[in-house]
């Protein structure tokens, strides 16, 4: 993996925008589903269709709550430079790039693959407090920290 220059603030902004876009998309889908449920005509399957739509709306509202939690947690992520792995660190290993922030998972930024992981994740817990040059093994995968930003 080549060493490239990464602007942590750009990655942080990208994650925040991604969360905001997911929230907006889900809100629109909830509204669309609510509208559709109001337009259902009384048919023999009316009750079961409305019930299914209500269940779908409930599931989307739960997802929306989780996304709003991610948004709130992202507000706590600092954007300061770090030498040791901590909340807000961008950790470049010889295998992957990790942004210790929220549990968003894999994303691509400017053509590069990153993983936004929660500080409570096993990977983040393993790396916490480490500095560039240190090594660790998790799930039988050995990694060396190349850089901490």
């Amino acid at each position: 993996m080549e060493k490239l220059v990464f602007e942590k603030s750009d990655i942080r902004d990208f994650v925040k925008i991604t969360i905001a876009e997911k929230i907006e998309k889900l809100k629109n889908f909830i509204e669309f589903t609510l509208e559709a449920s109001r337009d259902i005509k009384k048919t023999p399957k009316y009750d079961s269709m409305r019930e299914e739509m209500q269940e779908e709306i409930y599931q989307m509202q739960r997802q929306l709550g989780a996304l709003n939690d991610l948004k709130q947690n992202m507000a706590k992520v600092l954007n300061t430079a770090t030498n040791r792995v901590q909340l807000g660190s961008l950790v470049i290993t010889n295998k992957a790039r990790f942004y210790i922030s929220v549990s968003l998972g894999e994303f691509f930024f400017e053509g590069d693959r990153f993983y936004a992981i929660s500080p409570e994740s096993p990977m983040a817990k393993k790396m916490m407090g480490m500095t560039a040059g240190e090594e660790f093994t998790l799930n039988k995968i050995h990694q060396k920290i190349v850089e901490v930003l």
Side-chain angles (χ1 to χ4, degrees):
M1 188 177 343
E2 296 176 27
K3 181 179 184 255
L4 300 169
V5 176
F6 297 108
E7 276 298 323
K8 187 166 64 169
S9 61
D10 292 345
I11 293 169
R12 181 176 187 265
D13 291 344
F14 181 81
V15 169
K16 289 173 91 172
I17 289 167
T18 300
I19 293 168
E21 287 172 349
K22 286 179 180 241
I23 288 171
E24 196 57 37
K25 192 181 290 184
L26 201 51
K27 281 181 178 177
N28 290 338
F29 199 64
I30 289 170
E31 186 58 38
F32 174 79
T33 307
L34 281 169
E35 269 311 302
S37 73
R38 289 184 201 114
D39 292 343
I40 295 175
K41 303 288 185 244
K42 293 229 181 227
T43 66
K45 294 184 178 182
Y46 173 79
D47 289 334
S48 65
M49 285 173 63
R50 276 186 71 93
E51 194 173 304
E52 283 180 34
M53 290 179 114
Q54 283 305 118
E55 181 60 31
E56 186 69 28
I57 291 167
Y58 173 72
Q59 293 299 330
M60 288 187 287
Q61 287 172 333
R62 287 183 56 217
Q63 289 174 2
L64 186 60
L67 285 170
N68 280 320
D69 288 346
L70 285 183
K71 184 178 177 180
Q72 285 180 336
N73 290 337
M74 260 319 280
K76 300 173 191 170
V77 176
L78 301 175
N79 197 35
T80 54
T82 60
N83 293 333
R84 293 191 172 277
V85 178
Q86 64 186 37
L87 179 65
S89 293
L90 177 61
V91 183
I92 314 295
T93 73
N94 61 328
K95 306 254 190 232
R97 300 172 190 94
F98 301 96
Y99 182 46
I100 315 294
S101 54
V102 294
S103 179
L104 189 64
E106 178 184 65
F107 67 95
F108 290 86
F109 178 75
E110 295 182 357
D112 290 306
R113 180 189 321 242
F114 290 84
Y115 297 92
I117 60 174
S118 157
E120 289 84 34
S121 71
M123 179 65 75
K125 284 182 177 179
K126 194 78 171 172
M127 293 188 294
M128 283 297 179
M130 291 184 155
T131 58
E134 292 190 67
E135 300 179 15
F136 65 95
T137 302
L138 181 67
N139 297 330
K140 300 180 184 174
I141 299 173
H142 188 77
Q143 296 188 56
K144 180 177 183 176
I145 297 175
V146 177
E147 194 171 2
V148 178
L149 303 169

